[in-house]
Amino acid sequence: MDAEKRKRYENIAGDLVRLAGGRDNILGIAHCATRLRLVLEDNDKADIKKIEDVDLVKGVFVAGDQLQIIFGAGLVNDVCQVLAESLHMDSMSLGDLKTKANKRMNPLMSVAIIAQGGAVLGYLARNRKEAKARELCIPSFVSVLFGITEPALFGVNLRYRYPLIGGCIGGAIGGVIVYVTNLAALGFGTTVVPGIALADPADNGYVSYIIAHTAALGAGFLFAFLLGAAFDRKKETVTSIPEKSTEEISHQGNLPEEIDAFVSGECMGIEEVNDPTFAQKVLGDGVAILPEEGKVFAPADCTVEMVTDTKHAVGLRTKAGNGILIHVGIDTVNLAGKYFDLCAKEGQELKAGDCILEFDKEKIAAEGYDTTVCMVFTELPEGVHIQRTKEGRVSVGDKIAEIVR
């Protein structure tokens, strides 16, 4: 570039550094075809409105943890080069910049996960005399230690509600410690026990990692335990009248209850799914279907009790009072709702065959995810079990199982 252009770009770079909060606030820089991308220590220090008025800037916005400044094709290359030189910093690849942006995301996710594990232990402490609680909670907590949350969330915390609240409080407390101690990660991936390998050792990072996780675990346990006491007192007040049997409480007690295919495809037992949480029936018995299309339908007359924020899983309550979880794909929680669209909402009553959600099967598979749709019977009364009636190729509405005594 000629001297006149360089001078202009140097002025732009100086304005950007000043308005982005100074040199010390800029952690990394990169660019794509049209945008300059900055990772800042504190996004709140950036004056976005004034950056929009900087020479040659066409637009500014924050996406995730990146401040993105639009310059246009070609121009952005030169501006990024001059800015990097003025900061004495190398321009990064977009992948490296994303890793830089996620430096705090990994420990924040990790303390949120361990807090849900603490909540599982809080629930277990309140129900330690029940063999079913021990069978459910112990393997769920072990999974949490390796960053696998679904057994804890779907098997315990969402089911009984108050452990989820306790876990969220514990995660918030752990997050405060992450922020106060400036805990960061060297990469993005593994969490909880294996995640300590990614902790940035700067500023006593390993010690801060242990403290944050211990606090989140302890807080999740404590608040779940205390909330459980409050829930139990409320339950005792409500049930002060003569207690009814499980069969009477179950709205209907209409068994056997027919369960139909919820997607078209190849039906198999849940133990054949390529995921230990489902295959080992940690959440309960069930069936799975390798889908031919991206639509999920109600397997019986039911009410939608729960929809995850990521839209990949729904909890249903059948007309006979049985709890069902439908989960689309394996590890698809990582997609954060991308490629999923809901057709139903929490509290909505559905007839067998009504659409619950849609998903883009091809795009999910293209990102490397198994698209198997699992249906788990998470809540069945004592003495009630599942009888599978059909495997192999099924169409929506085909009878695939019965809930029987």
Side-chain angles (χ1 to χ4, degrees), residues 106 110 183-186 190-201 205-210 213:
N106 211 64
S110 190
L183 179 61
L186 298 175
T190 57
T191 54
V192 195
V193 175
I196 195 170
L198 290 179
D200 189 340
Y206 295 133
V207 174
S208 298
Y209 190 92
I210 293 170
H213 284 71

Side-chain angles (χ1 to χ4, degrees), residues 93-162:
S93 69
L94 292 179
D96 289 341
L97 192 74
K98 185 176 180 180
T99 299
K100 193 78 172 179
N102 286 329
K103 71 188 188 70
R104 279 211 187 95
M105 188 58 68
N106 211 64
L108 285 172
M109 286 177 55
S110 190
V111 294
I113 290 170
I114 194 64
Q116 293 297 333
V120 169
L121 295 182
Y123 174 82
L124 177 61
R126 295 201 59 79
N127 300 276
R128 58 189 176 278
K129 294 181 180 180
E130 298 179 11
K132 184 177 179 181
R134 294 195 297 272
E135 291 172 2
L136 185 62
C137 293
I138 293 172
S140 294
F141 177 71
V142 172
S143 295
V144 164
L145 294 178
F146 295 93
I148 302 170
T149 58
E150 289 181 337
L153 284 174
F154 294 119
V156 181
N157 296 359
L158 279 168
R159 179 187 295 183
Y160 301 108
R161 294 179 175 81
Y162 71 81

Side-chain angles (χ1 to χ4, degrees), residues 167-243:
C168 289
I169 296 172
I173 291 172
V176 169
I177 295 174
V178 168
Y179 183 80
V180 169
T181 60
N182 201 31
L183 179 61
L186 298 175
F188 189 77
T190 57
T191 54
V192 195
V193 175
I196 195 170
L198 290 179
D200 189 340
D203 300 320
N204 297 311
Y206 295 133
V207 174
S208 298
Y209 190 92
I210 293 170
I211 292 173
H213 284 71
T214 302
L217 175 69
F221 173 90
L222 178 63
F223 282 100
F225 189 89
L226 295 176
L227 286 168
F231 272 66
D232 287 347
R233 282 197 298 272
K234 183 178 180 180
K235 183 178 178 181
E236 288 171 7
T237 300
V238 172
T239 58
S240 59
I241 58 174
E243 196 171 316

